[in-house]
């Protein structure tokens, strides 16, 4: 890796562009925006109408996918990326990160929006609820995960994409940002397992 970096830093812009493939023309995959719009619109309708089944579906599906993606990225993708060359990491990131820029905020919104509405609808927010302490613990844990996802994961994701658009991308910086992304995803994945334990405790 060390032998490659001087080559990148001293090469002309055209060579740098060939060494580091750029992300697609738009950082956010435009083809995915209508899907996200439909998902969020139906979530809003479900919350407004207190549709219990739809809220349950959003919460279970959103939480399950959020957990699975975090664990997969942190425990599977992370170790693989650590063994790739800088150029290979950049090529992977060019196609992977734009999709994550849409997927993760959507899943977080699905899970949190439907979960809060379910808790309100089913009376879990009342202090008299027998397992109210478990509900509070879940809110704290999920809130922390949301802050991590939107405050660390997504900024690191966006920073990678912006760096790769420069005439001479900094391979070391991209590598550090990718490591931050996958490690943080792994941490939130483990936290998600804790949330699943709390959720099953509430359900029983």
């Amino acid at each position: 890796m060390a032998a490659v970096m001087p080559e990148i830093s001293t090469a002309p812009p055209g060579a740098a562009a060939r060494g580091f493939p750029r992300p697609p023309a738009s950082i956010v995959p435009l083809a995915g925006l209508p899907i996200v719009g439909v998902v969020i619109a139906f979530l809003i309708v479900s919350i407004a109408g207190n549709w219990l089944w739809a809220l349950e579906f959003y919460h279970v599906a959103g939480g399950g996918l959020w957990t699975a993606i975090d664990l997969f990225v942190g425990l599977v993708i992370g170790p693989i990326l650590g063994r790739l060359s800088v150029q290979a990491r950049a090529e992977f990131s060019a196609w992977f990160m734009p999709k994550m820029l849409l997927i993760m905020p959507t899943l977080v919104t699905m899970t949190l929006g439907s979960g809060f509405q379910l808790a309100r609808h089913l009376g879990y927010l009342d202090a008299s609820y027998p397992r109210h302490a478990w509900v509070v613990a879940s809110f704290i844990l999920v809130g922390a995960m949301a802050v991590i996802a939107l405050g660390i994961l997504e900024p690191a994701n966006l920073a990678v994409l912006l760096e790769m658009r420069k005439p001479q991308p900094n391979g070391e910086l991209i590598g550090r940002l990718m490591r931050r992304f996958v490690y943080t995803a792994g941490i939130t994945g483990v936290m998600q397992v804790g949330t699943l334990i709390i959720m099953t405790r509430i359900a029983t």
Side-chain angles (χ1 to χ4, degrees):
M1 184 182 301
V4 175
M5 292 312 301
E7 208 174 303
I8 294 170
S9 60
T10 58
R18 288 193 296 273
F20 284 89
R22 293 179 181 276
S26 174
I27 289 181
V28 176
L30 298 181
L33 289 178
I35 299 173
V36 172
V38 170
V39 170
I40 298 301
F42 190 64
L43 173 63
I44 294 172
V45 171
S46 301
I47 291 174
N50 264 335
W51 295 352
L52 189 59
W53 175 87
L55 293 171
E56 290 275 8
F57 173 81
Y58 266 102
H59 193 59
V60 173
L65 288 171
W66 184 2
T67 303
I69 290 175
D70 278 346
L71 288 174
F72 184 75
V73 170
L75 303 181
V76 179
I77 298 294
I80 292 174
L81 283 177
R83 291 171 172 80
L84 296 178
S85 66
V86 175
Q87 281 80 5
R89 291 182 200 177
E91 186 169 2
F92 176 83
S93 303
W95 298 101
F96 177 73
M97 299 303 253
K99 294 176 176 58
M100 295 298 286
L101 202 59
L102 278 186
I103 292 173
M104 294 312 296
T106 304
L107 293 180
V108 170
T109 302
M110 286 173 58
T111 306
L112 299 188
S114 58
F116 182 83
Q117 185 68 4
L118 278 173
R120 189 190 67 80
H121 183 76
L122 298 175
Y124 293 168
L125 300 180
D126 297 338
S128 59
Y129 177 64
R131 295 187 176 88
H132 182 70
W134 287 100
V135 176
V136 173
S138 72
F139 279 6
I140 293 172
L141 192 56
V142 172
M145 289 188 297
V147 170
I148 291 172
L150 301 179
I152 299 178
L153 281 175
E154 290 308 303
N157 188 351
L158 187 59
V160 168
L161 295 174
L162 293 176
E163 181 64 28
M164 293 179 67
R165 288 179 173 276
K166 294 181 179 179
Q168 292 181 299
N170 186 328
E172 291 183 353
L173 177 60
I174 291 173
R176 288 198 303 270
L177 290 169
M178 281 297 296
R179 283 194 296 272
R180 181 189 304 175
F181 183 89
V182 296
Y183 291 158
T184 306
I187 291 171
T188 56
V190 172
M191 293 172 70
Q192 285 277 20
V193 174
T195 304
L196 293 177
I197 294 173
I198 293 175
M199 291 293 101
T200 52
R201 184 68 182 84
I202 293 174
T204 55

